[in-house]
Amino acid sequence: MLERSAPSSPFVADMSMRIERHADAYGESITEFLAQPHGLRRRATEQPLLDLFTRHTEAVVATYDPPGIRRAGDSLVFGHIYAPALHRPAGPDPQAVPVNQLLAALIAAEVEFRGPLRLSRTQNRLLAEAYERLGRPLVQAGLPGHAALAYRRAGSLYRIDEDTDAEDRCGLALAQARRQAQPQAWRRLGGLVPDLVCGYGYRPFRMLWFVVFQLLVFTGAVALRAEQPVAVTVYQVLMNYLNPLGIGDTDHLRVGGRAVFVTEAYTGAVTMSVFFALLVRRWFRL
């Protein structure tokens, strides 16, 4: 759990005030961005805001020269800044956490991540959890680009901690945030397909439902072009998906029936190749 205590030294209190001032200044730009009409904002990109965020963060990091701060190995310097943003009741309301608090927590996490103090393994874990928990409220607040930054940092810290499940969880959340941050609607819609099919590669077993859907489609298509019992059609479709049928096995089909089987064979080869590639990656963490 993140620390809820007050600043432990005058230096930390001073740095906290600097972080909050920069968060307030940056929050004015965010407020202007969020105040745009929904349609106009969806066509905009957060990259200029992220560039400004980097400048605000670097201004704080440049002054972050801790004079021998004493801290426990299981605590974070700016835990008191993360607490108001993270310890809130969960809910769909994006106003549950004020945007300025989210921005202050994100800047504080960046300062702690990029600062001169070496983080212990426990501190890496705590900071990773802080970044990950900032992601969802940032998306809810209409800032998926900032959420992508938080998830990317969390994934890298989980990798250091050798927690592959948490790293994959953040990788999936990162891909979803990047899709939502796309200004073009057709790209957001196109990016939804790999998410539903295989979770951007992080959920390969979802592809089995996609395989079932393909088999149902091809069974219906073949049934319309064949004069034979349904059981035989189902058997042929199941076999052709993995092992293409020969010419003699398709003599009973009307015009266009063989084209359906050919299309199914190529579709099955591609789908199963992708499925096993993603499965091997997940099992062996390539």
Side-chain angles (χ1 to χ4, degrees), residues 26-67:
Y26 182 59
E28 294 178 2
S29 301
I30 294 294
T31 301
E32 293 178 3
F33 174 77
L34 297 177
Q36 300 179 60
H38 182 73
L40 182 61
R41 174 155 55 91
R42 292 301 295 175
R43 292 193 295 271
T45 175
E46 291 179 54
Q47 191 56 52
L49 290 173
L50 289 171
D51 293 338
L52 181 60
F53 173 82
T54 300
R55 291 196 290 272
H56 279 286
T57 301
E58 290 174 347
V60 180
V61 173
T63 62
Y64 187 43
D65 186 17

Side-chain angles (χ1 to χ4, degrees), residues 81-205:
I81 296 180
Y82 309 136
L86 301 180
H87 296 278
R88 291 282 185 126
D93 182 9
Q95 301 302 321
V97 181
V99 173
N100 280 15
Q101 285 188 359
L102 293 174
L103 298 176
L106 189 59
I107 292 176
E110 283 289 282
V111 172
E112 199 142 12
F113 178 81
R114 298 164 56 180
L117 291 178
R118 183 181 179 86
L119 300 176
S120 68
R121 181 166 184 171
T122 301
Q123 290 161 347
N124 277 329
R125 180 77 186 194
L126 290 173
L127 191 56
E129 292 173 353
Y131 270 121
E132 183 181 5
R133 293 171 64 184
L134 280 171
R136 181 179 294 276
L138 284 169
V139 171
Q140 292 176 336
L143 299 171
H146 292 68
L149 170 64
Y151 286 128
R152 184 168 63 250
R153 291 281 193 255
S156 65
L157 289 169
Y158 281 130
R159 188 180 307 114
I160 295 174
D161 195 41
E162 298 180 350
D163 188 340
T164 52
D165 289 336
E167 182 185 352
D168 284 354
R169 184 175 65 245
C170 288
L172 174 58
L174 170 61
Q176 293 172 337
R178 282 176 170 170
R179 172 177 59 81
Q180 295 180 55
Q182 286 290 342
Q184 293 87 3
W186 64 270
R187 287 189 175 180
R188 292 196 300 272
L189 184 60
L192 184 62
V193 175
D195 188 10
L196 295 176
V197 172
C198 60
Y200 294 103
Y202 295 102
R203 301 290 185 268
F205 289 104

